[in-house]
Amino acid sequence: MSDIDAPMRYAEPITDRTNRDGCVGLVVLLALALAVAAVGLAMVSREVAEPFVLAILAALAVVGVFCLFAGAVGILYFGQRHERNDLTKAFVDNLPHGALISDATGRVFYANNAYRDLLGLDPEASVPPPDRAFGGNPYLAEPIFRLARAAQQGRTLKEEFRLPPPGEVDDESAIEPRWFRISVQPMPPDPGSGRKGQLTVWQVDEVTLDRVREEMSFAKVQAAIDYLDNAPAGFFTADADGRIEYLNATLAQWLKLDLTEIAAKQLELSQIMSQDNAALLAGAGRGESQEARQGTSQGSVRRFDLDLLRTDGTTMPVRVLHRLPRGNQFALVLILNRGPGKAQEAGTAELRSTRMFQSSPFGIATVDSDGAVSQTNAAFSRMFGAAADADRGKTKLEALVDEGNRQDLRKALDAALAGQGMIEPIDVTFAGPEPRSGRIYLSSVADENDKSEVAIAYALDTTEQQELEVQFAQSQKMQAVGQLAGGIAHDFNNMLTAIIGFSDFLLLNHRPTDPAFQDIMNIKQNANRAAGLVRQLLAFSRQQTLRPQVLQLGDVLSELSILLDRLLGENVELSLDTAGDLWPVKADLHQFEQVIVNLAVNARDAMPGGGKLSIRTANLTEAESREVGGSHMPAGEYVMIEVRDTGTGMTKEIKQKIFEPFFSTKEIGRGTGLGLSTVYGIIKQTGGYVYVDSELGEGTAMRVFLPRYEEGSAEVDQEPAKLERKPERPKDLTGSGTLLLVEDEDAVRSFAARALGTRGYEVLQASTGAEALEVFEEHEGKVDLVVSDVVMPEMDGPTLLKELRKKVPDMKFVFMSGYAEDAFKRNLDENETFTFLQKPFDLKTLAATVKSALEG
């Protein structure tokens, strides 16, 4: 009989206690009990035995009926009990790896023949579980302990180990090492078996052959790596992001790299070649799409010459054989040394020409008669991405620019094809998702016999240059507006000084009950309002007077929050989050409060239906400032104040204009447009920076950065009043003495002379600095105080002060100006003392300042 015709034979398990045998002794015992009962009943009278007989018959009848139903539903078996799960057991019995089932106590209920063969057990010996079979080896104590613990806890676990362990047996006659894999997993007991408690399934498999194959494969890979390391050519692999994954020892030696350092840190392509060449090799040029990386030309080899960078900064000419990656695979790069003494095979002139072509900082490409790019350098590929790479399929030069520029580029190509020279450069917008601009120059190289190259295209990326031009134009515009605002503010201050001063004269001659008194008060009040607008213009042009003091912004914002609650109203929720360890800053307290109020009011107006206004402060380290401000904000330590709202947000066009004076998105009559321009001027004059982050419908975040005050915490503890303390206004504003009043504005000079004259002073007047010197000489220097404007024709106030100091070193001086004190203080000597009077001023302020200066 053939093996095919022979009946299937199953391996028998070496241990199987999964089935329980029936017990014949119980049946014999039951029969003896019935016989004894019958004999006993026969020995008593019928009357006594009858109840017992009936009870026994009734019990037997009940048991019989129960057994019938139990047999029908399968609870009881009559005759021999059939073995369950024959197919499952046969499958487990014939598994190629060992299988064993035990309970929590280690008692073995089942084990197949493969288990005995793997462990080399005697057929007559008892079968131990794996934790006992391997537990005697001290080198396996840890993995066996983990397996036994997992079995007790009902967890699944797998372990691998080697027998004998490495180093245990060294002589050549020892048996070959074997690898085992043992796994353990819980198995709930069969409900029909009657057993309680969870069972454990052990699986034992020998994986020696797999490990031998792995070691052989590793040895082959190691041999290949050793060969690559000592090859006469350089070799490396890199991914699409420019990270070098492998670099052989030959190339490392050429570049003077330490392989141990390379293993410890990631090496980038840009560290061994220029960024343009790195972008070309990595396939990470701008505008490169995923489709382009998976084009039909992938896997092909490109060849070009370039320079590699050594660690000492010198260059090394090489020829690169570059295999393009397939999908996400690594790019394979072979490097041939083309240094001195090794370039004769290709020609020195060719090598130099190729190196110049590849190392050029601007893009170069040749164009054929169809307008298609036929050859590109690294910079050109970086600008336009894989679409411009000739090896990945020819692309029309026109397709690399925006549709609006293609017609002009086509005309230039036709001119080059016709052999024309002096073709005007074309400003274009590069095609692609990112807005980038550039300039393309075309040079004709037309040859009637060769149509493969009719023109050379030179491309320059001017994106950053145009951004700088826009920023410079915006800066120039803001500077011009600031100068205009400062000039207007100066003239307005003179006018407002005269209006306020003469209003004071009229108020002196009218009682509150007079009909004209209220009209004059309205004139003065509106003049003061106009003065407030002028101060905002001066703040924007950074020509206002600041009185900086050391501030703890957390305390300032906490006190200011009470005012902000009233300004914001009930529909806007105010949230204040101030850092506990906030650094001190030096700023004008009142001007800083004005900054926060202006930002809060703007945020409130941007949330007409209500919302949330969050004010947050934080310290900004030098490293963090580089990320936030870029090139616009010098690196340093700053304190950040963020004012964020949940309002309507702003478009890009509005964000570019928000800091300009008189620009407003509010309805006519609801704002002057000076709020954010004032913020801009105050922050800039303080030495800080302000940035806006806003998206339409997403709210706005205004971030103010003030430089950290560096002179230590001792300065913070001083009284703020010491920094901003002003002389107390005298109650008696009359005085005596000779004053020299110098003012080029007739109205202001007339008002000031009359005001001081009514207070008891003798007033000498001059309209210019030169005239003031003449008046001073005429009165032989008998002047107690000089009250002078700052900006005047012929001779300004600071120059006048220097000239008078030569004659009278201790001459007392009062400067009047609508500009900031710092604007002219730099023109004076460092220790020069004077009193400053800010325009516009009223009659009382003028008289009080003069008397304080005389008494001081």
Side-chain angles (χ1 to χ4, degrees):
M1 181 180 296
S2 65
D3 293 339
I4 298 177
D5 297 332
M8 183 177 294
R9 300 180 62 186
Y10 297 103
E12 293 295 330
I14 57 174
T15 301
D16 187 358
R17 298 174 182 166
T18 58
N19 293 318
R20 292 186 302 172
D21 299 329
C23 184
V24 179
L26 293 176
V27 177
V28 175
L29 182 63
L30 178 61
L32 291 175
L34 292 176
V36 171
V39 173
L41 292 174
M43 297 177 65
V44 298
S45 63
R46 181 175 182 179
E47 291 77 6
V48 176
E50 185 174 355
F52 291 101
V53 172
L54 292 176
I56 293 172
L57 291 176
L60 291 175
V62 171
V63 171
V65 173
F66 171 77
C67 290
L68 288 176
F69 281 102
V73 299
I75 297 176
L76 295 178
Y77 294 90
F78 300 98
Q80 183 180 0
R81 186 174 183 176
H82 295 284
E83 188 176 299
R84 296 172 295 168
N85 298 326
D86 291 338
L87 183 60
T88 303
K89 291 183 62 178
F91 171 75
V92 177
D93 290 343
N94 289 273
L95 284 176
H97 57 263
L100 180 141
I101 301 175
S102 65
D103 61 8
T105 63
R107 181 187 180 192
V108 177
F109 290 97
Y110 172 84
N112 63 0
N113 278 322
Y115 180 82
R116 180 192 61 190
D117 295 339
L118 286 173
L119 269 64
L121 298 176
D122 191 301
E124 303 299 329
S126 60
V127 179
D131 56 339
R132 297 178 184 174
F134 294 97
N137 194 320
Y139 293 97
L140 307 181
E142 290 188 10
I144 295 301
F145 173 77
R146 289 192 294 266
L147 288 168
R149 187 69 178 271
Q152 294 175 357
Q153 297 176 351
R155 293 187 291 109
T156 299
L157 185 64
K158 184 183 294 184
E159 294 278 355
E160 280 191 18
F161 53 83
R162 179 178 182 267
L163 279 178
E168 182 179 355
V169 179
D170 296 329
D171 59 284
E172 297 180 356
S173 62
I175 59 173
E176 293 294 330
R178 300 172 66 190
W179 285 87
F180 288 92
R181 180 189 297 127
I182 299 180
S183 63
V184 60
Q185 64 184 44
M187 184 187 78
D190 185 357
S193 65
R195 295 189 191 90
K196 296 181 181 180
Q198 185 170 265
L199 301 178
T200 301
V201 178
W202 297 79
Q203 296 185 56
V204 181
D205 195 10
E206 184 174 0
V207 292
T208 304
L209 185 59
D210 295 339
R211 294 296 169 267
V212 170
R213 290 172 180 170
E214 289 178 2
E215 290 177 359
M216 292 177 63
S217 299
F218 179 78
K220 291 180 180 179
V221 172
Q222 189 62 44
I225 293 176
D226 292 340
Y227 174 79
L228 287 175
D229 277 342
N230 297 285
F235 180 81
F236 71 85
T237 61
D239 61 15
D241 294 324
R243 292 187 291 265
I244 295 178
E245 299 296 331
Y246 169 77
L247 182 142
N248 72 343
T250 301
L251 183 57
Q253 182 182 2
W254 288 350
L255 300 179
K256 301 181 180 180
L257 292 170
D258 188 346
L259 286 176
T260 58
E261 295 181 1
I262 297 175
K265 61 182 180 180
Q266 183 67 56
L267 186 65
E268 305 286 341
L269 277 176
S270 58
Q271 296 176 248
I272 65 171
M273 62 182 66
S274 68
Q275 291 185 354
D276 289 341
N277 290 329
L280 177 64
L281 289 180
R286 291 183 181 176
E288 182 178 4
S289 62
Q290 185 68 19
E291 291 79 6
R293 292 189 183 187
Q294 298 175 352
T296 56
S297 61
Q298 288 181 342
S300 61
V301 177
R302 295 186 297 179
R303 179 179 303 174
F304 44 84
D305 296 306
L306 50 81
D307 289 344
L308 295 183
L309 300 176
R310 297 188 180 97
T311 55
D312 58 2
T314 59
T315 60
M316 171 186 174
V318 297
R319 168 158 289 183
V320 172
L321 302 180
H322 175 217
R323 175 180 287 275
L324 296 175
R326 296 184 181 274
N328 294 325
Q329 293 180 356
F330 296 115
L332 309 178
V333 183
L334 182 65
I335 307 294
L336 302 179
N337 193 344
R338 306 302 299 275
K342 301 182 180 181
Q344 286 77 8
E345 60 187 84
T348 304
E350 177 193 358
L351 177 61
R352 289 177 179 174
S353 176
T354 306
R355 291 172 62 193
M356 290 173 61
F357 178 72
Q358 290 295 343
S359 60
S360 173
F362 47 84
I364 305 176
T366 56
V367 184
D368 62 18
S369 58
D370 296 328
V373 176
S374 56
Q375 188 178 3
T376 64
N377 71 343
F380 197 90
S381 297
R382 175 182 57 82
M383 288 183 192
F384 298 101
D389 195 337
D391 289 333
R392 303 192 183 192
K394 288 188 176 181
T395 303
K396 296 283 187 181
L397 182 62
E398 302 168 45
L400 302 179
V401 301
D402 191 73
E403 293 183 2
N405 306 124
R406 292 178 181 176
Q407 185 176 0
D408 295 337
L409 187 58
R410 183 68 257 177
K411 292 179 180 178
L413 284 171
D414 293 339
L417 183 61
Q420 296 182 11
M422 301 299 293
I423 301 174
E424 292 293 327
I426 307 150
D427 291 321
V428 298
T429 301
F430 295 158
E434 299 179 3
R436 296 186 298 117
S437 58
R439 177 170 293 178
I440 295 180
Y441 298 81
L442 286 173
S443 176
S444 175
V445 291
D447 186 351
E448 294 181 356
N449 300 323
D450 185 7
K451 298 296 183 182
S452 62
E453 293 182 0
V454 300
I456 298 178
Y458 302 90
L460 297 177
D461 192 335
T462 60
T463 305
E464 294 184 3
Q465 178 183 347
Q466 289 199 0
E467 290 178 354
L468 290 175
E469 289 176 355
V470 171
Q471 293 175 6
F472 180 74
Q474 178 71 8
S475 175
Q476 290 291 95
K477 181 176 71 172
M478 295 290 280
Q479 183 178 358
V481 172
Q483 291 176 348
L484 177 62
I488 293 174
H490 177 263
D491 293 336
F492 263 74
N493 274 328
N494 285 330
M495 299 176 190
L496 293 173
T497 301
I499 293 173
I500 294 172
F502 287 112
S503 296
D504 284 339
F505 283 135
L506 290 174
L507 290 173
L508 291 175
N509 299 323
H510 289 77
R511 295 182 179 182
T513 56
D514 291 344
F517 185 87
Q518 192 60 40
D519 295 335
I520 299 171
M521 284 297 299
N522 284 332
I523 293 173
K524 184 175 180 180
Q525 289 173 357
N526 281 280
N528 286 324
R529 288 185 59 193
L533 293 178
V534 172
R535 281 194 296 271
Q536 289 181 308
L537 286 175
L538 286 172
F540 170 75
S541 61
R542 303 177 224 172
Q543 296 175 4
Q544 64 174 343
T545 298
L546 296 181
R547 294 179 175 85
Q549 63 188 82
V550 181
L551 301 176
Q552 285 288 0
L553 295 186
D555 299 336
V556 175
L557 291 173
S558 297
E559 295 178 2
L560 192 60
S561 62
I562 301 174
L563 172 62
L564 294 178
D565 277 327
R566 292 197 297 266
L567 287 174
L568 297 176
E570 297 180 355
N571 293 334
V572 178
E573 177 188 354
L574 176 64
S575 172
L576 184 61
D577 180 14
T578 58
D581 57 345
L582 208 60
W583 294 327
V585 299
K586 195 169 186 179
D588 187 299
L589 173 62
H590 302 297
Q591 298 294 343
F592 175 76
E593 290 176 342
Q594 183 180 356
V595 167
I596 301 301
V597 169
N598 286 357
L599 293 178
V601 170
N602 266 16
R604 178 200 64 189
D605 295 341
M607 299 183 287
K612 182 177 181 180
L613 177 66
S614 303
I615 301 178
R616 182 175 66 92
T617 62
N619 294 327
L620 204 69
T621 63
E622 183 173 347
E624 293 170 336
S625 68
R626 291 191 182 95
E627 299 178 2
V628 173
S631 60
H632 305 291
M633 186 172 74
E637 295 180 329
Y638 294 87
V639 175
M640 182 195 72
I641 306 97
E642 181 187 73
V643 180
R644 179 182 294 274
D645 64 62
T646 58
T648 56
M650 291 181 280
T651 63
K652 184 178 180 181
E653 292 75 16
I654 291 178
K655 283 194 293 185
Q656 294 177 348
K657 298 180 179 180
I658 57 173
F659 294 122
E660 297 180 6
F662 308 112
F663 174 79
S664 177
T665 58
K666 301 175 185 177
E667 300 175 2
I668 297 176
R670 291 200 60 192
T672 62
L674 289 172
L676 289 178
S677 63
T678 302
V679 169
Y680 179 84
I682 293 173
I683 296 303
K684 286 293 183 181
Q685 194 172 359
T686 307
Y689 300 85
V690 56
Y691 295 99
V692 58
D693 181 13
S694 181
E695 295 291 339
L696 195 62
E698 299 294 333
T700 301
M702 303 291 294
R703 297 185 180 91
V704 174
F705 299 93
L706 297 178
R708 177 185 182 181
Y709 184 62
E710 296 286 352
E711 294 185 7
S713 59
E715 296 287 343
V716 181
D717 297 332
Q718 61 184 316
E719 288 185 39
K722 291 182 181 179
L723 294 175
E724 61 173 5
R725 182 174 296 161
K726 301 177 182 178
E728 296 182 1
R729 177 176 294 185
K731 296 180 180 180
D732 182 11
L733 299 180
T734 61
S736 61
T738 302
L739 308 179
L740 175 56
L741 177 63
V742 189
E743 172 61 61
D744 62 322
E745 187 71 28
D746 294 340
V748 176
R749 187 175 67 254
S750 174
F751 152 67
R754 182 178 169 186
L756 295 174
T758 59
R759 291 299 185 268
Y761 300 104
E762 179 185 354
V763 182
L764 307 177
Q765 299 184 42
S767 59
T768 66
E771 184 182 345
L773 289 177
E774 295 177 0
V775 173
F776 187 83
E777 293 292 343
E778 291 176 1
H779 288 75
E780 299 177 354
K782 296 179 179 179
V783 175
D784 299 308
L785 176 69
V786 178
V787 181
S788 173
D789 191 12
V790 174
V791 180
M792 296 180 295
E794 297 182 10
M795 182 184 293
D796 60 8
T799 305
L800 174 62
L801 175 60
K802 292 179 181 179
E803 294 297 326
L804 291 177
R805 281 277 188 260
K806 296 177 183 178
K807 303 178 184 298
V808 183
D810 59 347
M811 174 62 68
K812 297 179 179 180
F813 227 89
V814 174
F815 278 122
M816 304 179 295
S817 179
Y819 291 120
E821 180 179 344
D822 295 338
F824 62 89
K825 191 175 182 180
R826 65 175 67 97
N827 297 326
L828 298 173
D829 295 336
E830 184 177 355
N831 298 322
E832 190 63 76
T833 58
F834 60 88
T835 303
F836 180 72
L837 179 60
Q838 179 78 46
K839 290 182 180 179
F841 49 80
D842 56 15
L843 190 153
K844 292 183 180 179
T845 303
L846 173 61
T849 303
V850 169
K851 187 166 185 178
S852 297
L854 285 170
E855 293 177 351

